[in-house]
Amino acid sequence: MNVIESTGLGKRYRRKWALRDCTLAIPGGHIVALVGPNGAGKTTLLTMAVGLTRPTLGSVTVLGGEPAGSPAALDRIAFVAQDAPLYRNLPVADMLHLARNLNMRWDQRRAQDRLEQLEIPLSQKVGELSGGQKAQLALTIALARRPALLVLDEPLASLDPVAREDFMASVVEAARHDAISVVLSSHVLAELERVASYLIVLTRGQVQVAGTVSELLAAHGAGLEEIALRHLRGLSSLSRTDGAA
Amino acid sequence: MISTTAPVQPPATAKRRPVSWRRLAWVTLRQRRGAVIGISVVLGVFAVYLLIMGIIQNNAYAAIAACHPAAATKCHELAQSFGKYWGGGAGPVLAGGGAQTVSSLLFALPVLLGAFAGAPLLAREFESGTFRFAWTQGAGRTRWAVSTLVLPAVLLTAVTGAFTALFYWYFRPFLAIGQVSEMLPLAFALLGLAFAAWTLFAFAFAAFSGTLFRRTVPAMAVTIVVYIVLAIATALAIRPHYLTPVTEQGWNGGPSAGWVLSSWVKAPNGQVIGSGDIGNVLVHAPASVANSPDPNAFNNWLIQHGYTLWQSVQPASRFWQFQLIEADWLLVVSVSLLAGAVWLVRRRGA
């Protein structure tokens, strides 16, 4: 089953196409790295997959055919937008309670245990947390929803190196522990290459390459970084590899 | 259902239970705690003032009503001294300001409360980016938006409705002594259903423009401008036409008559002379009449010379009919604006 599947997906903002003719089939069970320079259309693709934005053209379904943004899809996808937007004026405990009341499924113990581990006090205001703590709180809320798919848009962009390390470790641990699929976007592949098992390279609104990391390595005989770099530079003489699940 | 087994579960075929309204209401109330406290404080301060002055004024009025015989000098003095509660000089809190000042202050309250409560509801979510959080939760954005908009709307309408009841009790003596008619623009919008209905309108308009502009401050500014224009247009041009005015002979004005829209004179030859042209008749009157300090001297002279006096009135007996008409259309507009805001939320992307 594919966690995200799109056909001829396109999004235009005024005159500019943010994403064009995007046909993808991301199989489940992976940590997916969505890589591309700023403005490549990563956020556009992800916000359409989670139902925040409507496509101009084409369609996108999630979790084996659910329309993006449908109640069934919202219930089982947890999305953390760039900069992890949360209500800054609320204490952490109230932020948890709020998220709990916005979802049918919620694992309060899991959330509290994680925050205790991370030493994030429940009485602290969200706005007073450090960038790393805030990202971890957003991840905690996302995981407490017990999603089938976790979507993180540029989760590392605003974090310092130590917080990045910790955050990625949390994501990998959660993906294994909960057996969930994860899609992360970044403009820096180096952050994701050690953990990703599926790679999508996006430039100028178009998918350049998509496939499992092992297939890509086998097919191209080059390092992941080099494969991505060649596609990012648009120098690719490589054939495009579609995600064969 | 908790996913622990397969990487991805097949889609559940069972019908999904939506997040209950009760839980959404908790979310809305928790997020609006600041606004609830702010509005409670503002209305509370006004309420305490109205309560204190209401007791004083109602007691003073009761003394006037109980005074016998009504023509006695002491009764006359009582009635005269009551005037200070209207014009000012009697208030222990708002020194110098009487009911007239308080009423004009309260005029601004619906739009301020509505803009303060309504504009940030959606606009703040856009400004801080938190709509990306709120709209991707299991409840879905439509339910979230309905709860976010409807619960504060209902609360605000209920609270301002209760506030009107207190204001009416405070204001009652002035209506009873005929200081002012409840039909006049100054009083009408503060009494009955109008005060709460106008607050609801301001709230709905602010919430809608906040959703449209995605900015709190511009939404507030536009709300205040539109509100002022509409409130003035309603009082001057729309409200007088709710029902056909009654044409009466005689200029028995005064607050008990209701709202006098216009008055004119009919000459013996049947010619109609508007109140603006009445000066043309006045030149024919003898100096003793034209310069008389008695305002009725000229009217009496007109009647003696075969003129008839006419006026067009919305009588005070139509007060509740007018209140219902005004509340009705404001409610329709407000509900449409709130529905429009939900529609924008459903339609708009990130």
Side-chain angles (χ1 to χ4, degrees), chain A residues 11-211:
Chain A
K11 178 69 187 178
R12 190 181 54 202
Y13 291 107
R14 299 221 161 81
R15 292 217 178 131
K16 193 180 179 310
W17 285 89
L19 196 72
R20 259 181 307 184
D21 194 28
C22 172
T23 299
L24 272 176
I26 305 175
H30 283 287
I31 293 182
V32 181
L34 175 61
V35 182
N38 291 326
K42 303 187 297 291
T43 298
T44 303
L45 175 58
L46 294 183
T47 52
M48 282 194 285
V50 300
L52 267 179
T53 311
R54 287 208 186 151
T56 313
L57 284 176
S59 66
V60 54
T61 60
V62 291
L63 300 170
E66 301 286 356
S70 64
L74 287 172
D75 194 37
R76 297 196 301 147
I77 298 182
F79 174 59
V80 179
Q82 188 166 2
D83 300 328
L86 296 170
Y87 296 106
R88 298 175 56 84
N89 58 326
L90 296 185
V92 172
D94 285 9
M95 189 63 228
L96 288 186
H97 202 118
L98 185 139
R100 177 187 199 164
N101 278 333
L102 283 173
N103 289 287
M104 285 315 290
R105 291 190 291 165
W106 183 260
D107 189 339
Q108 179 73 12
R109 153 143 282 155
R110 174 90 197 276
Q112 284 180 342
D113 287 352
R114 272 209 87 213
L115 292 179
E116 201 172 319
Q117 249 174 21
L118 294 159
E119 296 179 349
I120 297 176
L122 289 172
S123 56
Q124 188 105 354
K125 282 212 172 170
V126 173
E128 293 164 355
L129 297 177
S130 71
Q133 285 178 317
K134 199 175 155 215
Q136 286 285 7
L137 174 60
L139 181 64
T140 302
I141 288 170
L143 292 173
R145 292 179 54 194
R146 289 281 186 199
L149 170 63
L150 175 64
V151 179
L152 307 166
D153 188 14
E154 293 276 2
L156 308 173
S158 57
L159 302 183
D160 62 58
V162 175
R164 283 177 193 208
E165 223 21 68
D166 292 349
F167 188 88
M168 281 315 298
S170 300
V171 170
V172 172
E173 200 271 327
R176 294 216 178 105
H177 180 271
D178 296 359
I180 57 176
S181 306
V182 181
V183 177
L184 310 111
S185 73
S186 176
H187 57 278
V188 189
L189 175 63
E191 294 173 342
L192 306 179
E193 67 174 339
R194 277 181 296 146
V195 299
S197 58
Y198 194 96
L199 176 72
I200 301 168
V201 177
L202 202 63
T203 55
R204 292 182 300 279
Q206 291 196 294
V207 176
Q208 303 299 329
V209 66

Side-chain angles (χ1 to χ4, degrees), chain B residues 247-253 260 263-264 303 308-313:
Chain B
T247 303
E248 292 175 346
Q249 189 169 358
W251 284 354
N252 45 357
V260 179
S263 51
W264 63 93
I303 292 163
T308 47
L309 313 180
W310 298 87
Q311 64 183 10
S312 171
V313 183

Side-chain angles (χ1 to χ4, degrees), chain A residues 197 199 209-228 230-231 238-239 241:
Chain A
S197 58
L199 176 72
V209 66
T212 63
V213 168
S214 51
E215 280 169 0
L216 289 172
L217 292 176
H220 302 315
L224 202 55
E225 181 103 46
E226 200 185 326
I227 296 169
R230 272 192 242 165
H231 284 98
L238 306 163
S239 61
T241 315

Side-chain angles (χ1 to χ4, degrees), chain A residues 1 3 13 28-29 50-54 63-64 66 71-72 74-77 79 81 85-87 90-91 94-95 97-105 141 145-148 178-179 181, chain B residues 1-12 16-20 23-24 26-27 30-31 33 125 128-141 144 346-350:
Chain A
M1 178 196 308
V3 286
Y13 291 107
V50 300
L52 267 179
T53 311
R54 287 208 186 151
L63 300 170
E66 301 286 356
L74 287 172
D75 194 37
R76 297 196 301 147
I77 298 182
F79 174 59
L86 296 170
Y87 296 106
L90 296 185
D94 285 9
M95 189 63 228
H97 202 118
L98 185 139
R100 177 187 199 164
N101 278 333
L102 283 173
N103 289 287
M104 285 315 290
R105 291 190 291 165
I141 288 170
R145 292 179 54 194
R146 289 281 186 199
D178 296 359
S181 306
Chain B
M1 42 182 266
I2 290 165
S3 80
T4 46
T5 48
V8 175
Q9 298 175 324
R16 213 162 289 276
R17 214 152 40 94
V19 173
S20 74
R23 293 168 67 193
L24 284 164
W26 187 93
V27 172
R30 180 62 191 84
Q31 283 191 268
R33 188 185 280 178
E125 300 278 343
S128 62
T130 43
F131 74 99
R132 295 190 180 91
F133 170 84
W135 294 4
T136 49
Q137 303 303 303
R141 64 171 89 173
W144 173 86
R346 285 178 61 91
R347 190 180 146 271
R348 284 217 153 181

